Amino acid sequence: MFNPFRASSKSGAAWFPVGAASSFPDLGLSADAADDGVLSSPRLCKTGDTTKPGCKVFHVPKTDSAQRTEVSVAADDDSEEACEIGGHDMVDQVVVFQYRGKFHAIDHQCPHSSFPLSKGTPFDIEDFGIVLSAGLTCPKHGWSFDLFSGLADRGTYKLKIWEVQLRDMADDNAKTAEDQEVWVRRKQRMG
């Protein structure tokens, strides 16, 4: 029976796991002067002495999010071609990262210049020293986007924000008792 008050489930809108929360370095908390702030730069994780990129990038087809593939992002390659994998461009890619204790998932492609946002730099949006929100600056032209609303600092461009959830890990191989798994999906349109 059709229920007009319940949204239909789309296969491309399903939740999918992107890794344990402890596998994401917490950006913005580093006191290391050598940290350049770029998302894809290698950093130490909570899981040990290994360094990993500060973000993960996934290619997620709109028709079926179960067919996602992780994209390898080189920290020192600033070309747009470096973010293509298996013939896929950045259109269906999502960047997932942790900034100051909060997980964010956004489109990989800058809505203004189509540059890979894994090369971007997160920052605090402040007013007279009070942190109001968080943002990300695209290095190609210096445009910035709010990580919660997607609004640009100029023009009418809007960054697509994905939904993020932290869930208890289902397997017994959890690294710590308080470790959770990060799940992501495309933000659902209302109406």
Side-chain angles (χ1 to χ4, degrees), residues 102-119:
K102 175 103 175 124
F103 284 90
H104 300 277
I106 58 173
D107 271 4
H108 192 201
Q109 181 177 343
C110 175
H112 165 247
S113 65
S114 300
F115 197 75
L117 289 176
S118 59
K119 308 299 179 198

Side-chain angles (χ1 to χ4, degrees), residues 111-189:
H112 165 247
S113 65
S114 300
F115 197 75
L117 289 176
S118 59
K119 308 299 179 198
T121 305
F123 64 94
D124 291 330
I125 297 174
E126 298 180 0
D127 188 18
F128 295 105
I130 298 171
V131 177
L132 302 174
S133 190
L136 185 73
T137 301
C138 176
K140 188 168 185 181
H141 293 126
W143 284 45
S144 297
F145 300 91
D146 187 297
L147 290 174
F148 295 96
S149 68
L151 294 175
D153 62 347
R154 55 197 120 155
T156 58
Y157 295 98
K158 188 167 183 179
L159 178 64
K160 291 183 183 161
I161 308 295
W162 293 49
E163 294 181 272
V164 179
Q165 279 186 353
L166 291 177
R167 299 181 183 179
D168 291 334
M169 296 188 82
D171 62 354
D172 294 333
N173 298 333
K175 294 173 180 59
T176 64
E178 55 277 336
D179 200 11
Q180 293 183 307
E181 193 167 30
V182 181
W183 287 68
V184 175
R185 77 169 176 177
R186 283 185 171 85
K187 191 167 241 178
Q188 303 299 293
R189 291 185 57 186

Side-chain angles (χ1 to χ4, degrees), residues 26-39:
D26 196 349
L27 310 176
L29 296 180
S30 175
D32 185 7
D35 187 357
D36 61 1
V38 176
L39 287 180

Side-chain angles (χ1 to χ4, degrees), residues 7-18 57-69 71 88-96 104-109 159-165 167 182-190:
S8 61
S9 178
K10 299 177 186 175
S11 60
W15 290 95
F16 60 92
V18 295
V57 178
F58 294 88
H59 176 265
V60 186
K62 286 185 178 157
T63 55
D64 187 8
S65 60
Q67 299 298 318
R68 72 195 175 282
T69 53
V71 177
H88 303 295
D89 61 10
M90 291 182 290
V91 173
D92 291 328
Q93 291 183 6
V94 60
V95 178
V96 184
H104 300 277
I106 58 173
D107 271 4
H108 192 201
Q109 181 177 343
L159 178 64
K160 291 183 183 161
I161 308 295
W162 293 49
E163 294 181 272
V164 179
Q165 279 186 353
R167 299 181 183 179
V182 181
W183 287 68
V184 175
R185 77 169 176 177
R186 283 185 171 85
K187 191 167 241 178
Q188 303 299 293
R189 291 185 57 186
M190 303 305 280

